[in-house]
Every structure is written in structure tokens, then in C-alpha cells.
Amino acid sequence: MSDAVVVTGLHKSFGPVEVLRGIDLTVARGEVVCIIGPSGSGKSTLLRCVNLLEAPTRGSVVVEGRELTDDDCDLDDARRSIGMVFQSFNLFSHLTVLDNLTLAQRRVLGRSRPEAERVARANLERVGLGHREKAMASELSGGQQQRIAIARALSMDPSVMLFDEPTSALDPELVGDVLGVMRGLAGEGMTMLVVTHEIQFAREVADRVLFMDGGVVVEIGPPDQVIGAPREGRTREFLARVLHPLDRGGESTAAGQA
């Protein structure tokens, strides 16, 4: 596997507050990396810096061989390889599901309506909502809206998907369907960076888990190491607060809250 994302010496400050303090991270093509850590540790800021929704204070971000932090980089073009799913669904409530999925395809990628609709329908089937294409976005449950948001991102043919706590705004009974879609994408070989508080999901799906605190990477490695047998005291302290003891050994399917 070659590298899909390379982050080097990444710093991000908001005024006098330094949120990221020198992040180095390489993600191989087809790899799933889950990012966990306490609130305020810089997880979401890191994700937003990967596609330059937040401009790094210094450091570099390379996605699919293109340096997004280069002043000469065409960001609009480079971002076409990156799909992002947020905590909020950001759907157009006055449009149908199908229109939500075809709008950006037609305006950004220049696809014809028939081609955009063909791609949209294929991705609606991927997330299990092919039967809701004519529904208004406002008519859907939160879990359905998040699955539609994933399908919309997939319809732009990204090679890298970023997920920023995609289940945090959902009622508990709706979380499973969204995580199921994400499991499916991982199984298909999609490169994924996932900020999540679903610790059991990270254990099951991630190739590597990254634990952040205070704007730095405290620990990174396979799930069985970082979650099951963490080497760093700060990681152990965090997991002790968010996990039932059985979760550390993989005997429970309950998800921890970060």
C-alpha cells in the first residue's frame, strides 16, 4: 500500500491557544485510522486541517500526492479526492434525497443529470436507502440523514473519507445503522480517518487507533495494543474513564464515550 495521507509537523493555533502541537501521521491507502481522545484534545481540528477547512499554522498536509498546504495548490480540485462527513448532516431540507446527492455532482464535477442520478442511486443502495430517493430530507430520521450524508460524499468519488464524530448527534438506537455503513466502507477498502467516541467500533474496524491529548499524539498502534493494552499512562487513564472493564478485553460490545 502507498500513502494516501501524510501529515508532517502540523501545528494549529487559534490566537494564543495552540490546539495542535506538532502532529505527524501517515495513512496508507485502504487503511482505517480511528482517532480517540478527550474533548478539546484537537481531534476534530486535525481532521479539518487534513482538507484545509482549517489552515494549519505551520506544517504540511499531502493527500494522494498533492500538498494541500502548498500556496500554489488548487484546493477546490484537490478536495475532490476527499469526502467529509460531519456531526451535523448538512443536508438541504427543502430538496429530495436524490437532489441532495446530485447537486454537487452536477455543479462541481459537471456530470449530466442522468449520470449524476445513476451514481446517486448506486450510493443510496450502498447505505441501504435506495427506497427513499424521492423523500424530502426533512422527513428522514437522524440516522437516515447521516447515511444520506455519507452517500452524498461517496457520490463525489473520493479516495479518502473523513468522519468527524458522525454518530455523536444521533439517538443511541440510530447509531448502529450508521456504523454498519462505515463498516461496509472499511470492508470495501476505503481509506478512512474517523474521529469517534465509539471505542468498540474503533476496536473492531480500525487498522490503527490514534489517541490524542493536549494537541499531540500520545499513542498510536493496532487496536489491541492501544485499547487493549495501552503503553502510555494517559491512554490508560482515559480508557479507564470511558470503558466498562470488560470492554478492554473485547468481551462486551458496549461503546465507550470519549
Side-chain angles (χ1 to χ4, degrees):
M1 291 187 292
S2 54
D3 296 333
V5 179
V6 180
V7 175
T8 306
L10 190 67
H11 291 253
K12 176 62 181 178
S13 296
F14 295 97
V17 180
E18 191 173 27
V19 178
L20 300 178
R21 301 190 290 129
I23 304 293
D24 295 307
L25 173 65
T26 299
V27 182
R29 286 193 178 94
E31 187 178 23
V32 178
V33 175
C34 286
I35 304 171
I36 64 173
S39 297
S41 60
K43 307 184 301 294
S44 293
T45 300
L46 170 59
L47 209 66
R48 291 172 67 86
C49 283
V50 169
N51 68 353
L52 260 67
L53 287 177
E54 296 288 354
T57 304
R58 66 179 185 273
S60 68
V61 176
V62 178
V63 178
E64 296 293 1
R66 301 183 67 176
E67 185 178 345
L68 275 64
T69 42
D70 187 326
D71 291 339
D72 294 328
C73 179
D74 183 341
L75 277 179
D76 289 337
D77 185 60
R79 285 191 181 118
R80 292 181 185 182
S81 65
I82 308 170
M84 188 157 185
V85 178
F86 301 88
Q87 298 176 33
S88 55
F89 321 123
N90 295 328
L91 299 178
F92 294 107
S93 60
H94 64 290
L95 296 180
T96 66
V97 166
L98 191 64
D99 286 341
N100 266 280
L101 267 67
T102 58
L103 184 63
Q105 290 188 67
R106 293 165 58 205
R107 292 188 177 179
V108 177
L109 301 182
R111 287 176 177 160
S112 66
R113 181 181 289 274
E115 174 66 5
E117 290 183 350
R118 182 193 67 78
V119 172
R121 289 188 173 107
N123 284 304
L124 285 173
E125 291 295 336
R126 287 173 82 179
V127 302
L129 290 171
H131 61 295
R132 299 310 306 269
E133 69 170 63
K134 295 182 180 178
M136 302 299 290
S138 58
E139 299 171 358
L140 305 178
S141 70
Q144 289 175 329
Q145 289 188 55
Q146 191 61 292
R147 286 152 67 193
I148 294 300
I150 294 172
R152 179 180 58 185
L154 292 172
S155 293
M156 301 299 286
D157 297 331
S159 56
V160 177
M161 286 285 288
L162 310 178
F163 294 87
D164 187 7
E165 298 196 18
T167 61
S168 64
L170 301 179
D171 292 335
E173 66 269 22
L174 303 177
V175 168
D177 288 340
V178 173
L179 294 182
V181 169
M182 295 170 65
R183 285 188 178 93
L185 292 178
E188 293 173 13
M190 175 65 73
T191 305
M192 297 165 57
L193 259 174
V194 184
V195 171
T196 185
H197 59 260
E198 303 289 344
I199 303 298
Q200 188 62 24
F201 171 82
R203 176 194 285 278
E204 294 171 0
V205 177
D207 295 296
R208 287 186 297 159
V209 173
L210 184 158
F211 172 66
M212 287 185 67
D213 190 28
V216 300
V217 176
V218 175
E219 188 165 358
I220 185 168
D224 286 347
Q225 176 220 305
V226 176
I227 297 174
R231 298 171 180 170
E232 300 295 330
R234 182 64 187 97
T235 314
R236 291 194 294 271
E237 178 186 351
F238 170 76
L239 291 170
R241 293 173 65 90
V242 302
L243 287 180
H244 185 282
L246 290 180
D247 293 338
R248 292 284 296 275
E251 299 173 37
S252 169
T253 58
Q257 293 281 331

